[in-house]
Amino acid sequence: MPFRKSGNAFAEELLKKSRRPASVRFFRVRRYLAGALFAAAATGAVPVRAQVIDGGENGAFHLARFARFGVGTEGPFSGASLTEAVSPAQEQPVEKNAVKGPRPKHFFAAAGEVVLLEVIPWAFDRYVTKEDFAYISTQTIKQNFKTGFKYDSDHFNVNQSSHPYHGGLFFDAGRSNGYGFWGSSLFALAGSLMWECCMENTAPSINDLVNTTLGGMTRGEVAHRLSVLILDNTATGGDRVWREIVAGVVNPVSAFNRLVRGEMFRQGENPEDRFPRGFSFSADLGYRQIKGGAAHPDQGMLQISALYGDPFKGDIRNPFDSFYLGIDFNSPGGTLISRIEERGILKGWELTDPDSAVRHIAGFSQEYEYLNNESQVFGAQIFSGGLLSRYTLSRELFALTDLTASVVPLAAIQTTDFAAPQTGRNYDFAPGGGARVAARLYYRGREVLGAGYGAVWATTVSGVSDSNTLQFFRGVARLPIAGPIGAGAGYSWYSRKTIYTGFFEGRKTQNEWRAFINWVFPYRR
């Protein structure tokens, strides 16, 4: 990961204040990759390793994009066609003992998988790569309990990407064995505690506990619901094969369980909640230019987005009945992935009549955010609450607004271009809060205009800075051209202002323009 410029003067000031050598351990990321490799072995597929990230033009405002993602009134993706596709007359024969509804809970299977997800990556670190931290004993475990929790000095990628991914595997051990969202969160918490206390000879980490547990809940639930949507237990032949492979990459722990139980090859009925009330997938492919002396100012870009569920059709009762997933890819140069963002509604309440032209939903959400751009390298687990409103302007035109306040239990914010002697890191840990406001206009279910502004204020608890203020503005316009194809352009502005004791650093900013071709599935005619 390229480090951002912060000035030699600040480096000299820090070096004068500390005699400890600067060091950062980059190697622990491999234990999480080992865990992912173990789980993915069920399908023979290896999940792509997530890297660092940037806020795309949609950034932090995707709750406002939960709209009416209904399909068209005609054509292959119409409501009638979908109804016919899943009607009893069209389904493949299923086993007589196939059962719909909640899967029975299998505690010992889930707990055993959590243990395997601990032991296998630890064994890889201990006997293959021979990492120092993996040499454990009863004495190191006792010492960990005696020392207590501290902040660690692992690389940014390890703490903000690998730990949430590993937590998602723990979470899905519960989810794929019959447990719900909150029950599965206990498996993520237990897996994190077990690793921190017993599987390393270093002090347990506060930031690891937060990122693995909360990040695992968000990432694990998104993976679970997408894999259920992709899978079709009535399918056969090539259609069944590709569905099992893709779902296995998305949710490797579920694939492992399906393989062990024989469900991967057996026909049966699908879960009653397989389909949400709305689903949309979109991709923007084009060019972006970064202003302000960026190392790689001209890049190709691909942004993929998935919107699952529709709050205005009732998908607000259970955690993540409605959620957003977004990933930005950029090349050549710099980081391949510049944004991973996941946000799901935990609980919502309809405040108005469902038949009203103006509707309001109040709700709470849980978020995972990971950004990397010229001014902000930021990773956090976030809880938010706010008001989502919909304004019906005509039969084919409506607008959404999103007013949200957020609480950040712990964020990681890069503040220097070197490993500071005080912490062994080039980033600081800081809890805080924030707010955002956004408005979007939709035509025939497709977003045509959007704009939003947000800010986060964080006070450092471990690091060289005192506080950080992050701001962002994003705007986008899209024009439908033919069928699911459209064209668009977007502008993004990012800002980071860091306050230090005894040192002044100017505001860091990034300005970015985008132009792209857009593809949406499904689309409304």
Side-chain angles (χ1 to χ4, degrees), residues 103 113 171-179 224 253-254 257 261:
R103 182 188 294 275
E113 289 166 18
F171 180 92
D172 284 325
R175 206 68 171 92
S176 59
N177 279 289
Y179 287 87
H224 167 76
V253 177
S254 174
N257 280 286
R261 295 172 185 152

Side-chain angles (χ1 to χ4, degrees), residues 159-160 163-164 207-216 381 410 429:
N159 281 332
Q160 304 306 131
H163 277 287
N207 49 277
D208 288 355
L209 185 65
V210 172
N211 288 327
T212 304
T213 304
L214 298 183
Q381 320 306 324
L410 192 66
F429 288 116

Side-chain angles (χ1 to χ4, degrees), residues 423-476:
T423 64
R425 303 187 305 263
N426 66 333
Y427 62 95
D428 298 344
F429 288 116
R436 62 177 176 258
V437 56
R440 297 187 182 276
L441 182 67
Y442 290 82
Y443 176 69
R444 293 186 176 179
R446 294 178 64 164
E447 178 190 321
V448 291
L449 290 174
Y453 167 82
V456 172
W457 301 273
T459 302
T460 302
V461 293
S462 176
V464 297
S465 66
D466 293 331
S467 63
N468 284 270
T469 299
L470 307 178
Q471 299 181 77
F472 36 84
F473 171 82
R474 302 177 181 98
V476 65

Side-chain angles (χ1 to χ4, degrees), residues 64 235 352 421:
T352 50

Side-chain angles (χ1 to χ4, degrees), residues 13-31:
E13 287 292 323
L14 288 174
L15 292 173
K16 290 177 182 178
K17 294 179 180 180
S18 176
R19 296 180 180 178
R20 289 173 290 181
S23 62
V24 176
R25 297 209 324 258
F26 292 91
F27 304 102
R28 290 167 65 180
V29 66
R30 284 180 287 190
R31 75 170 182 261

Side-chain angles (χ1 to χ4, degrees), residues 312-352:
F312 292 99
K313 289 184 179 178
D315 289 331
I316 54 176
R317 295 179 178 84
N318 302 307
F320 284 70
D321 278 351
S322 294
F323 69 80
Y324 166 80
L325 165 67
I327 305 176
D328 282 1
F329 300 87
N330 309 287
S331 185
T335 57
L336 175 62
I337 302 177
S338 59
R339 178 177 65 97
I340 298 177
E341 193 172 12
E342 297 171 332
R343 179 178 300 112
I345 297 178
L346 293 173
K347 180 67 176 178
W349 296 268
E350 175 80 58
L351 304 180
T352 50

Side-chain angles (χ1 to χ4, degrees), residues 224-239:
H224 167 76
R225 286 181 177 261
L226 287 179
S227 65
V228 170
L229 180 66
I230 295 168
L231 290 168
D232 183 357
N233 293 328
T234 68
T236 59
D239 183 50

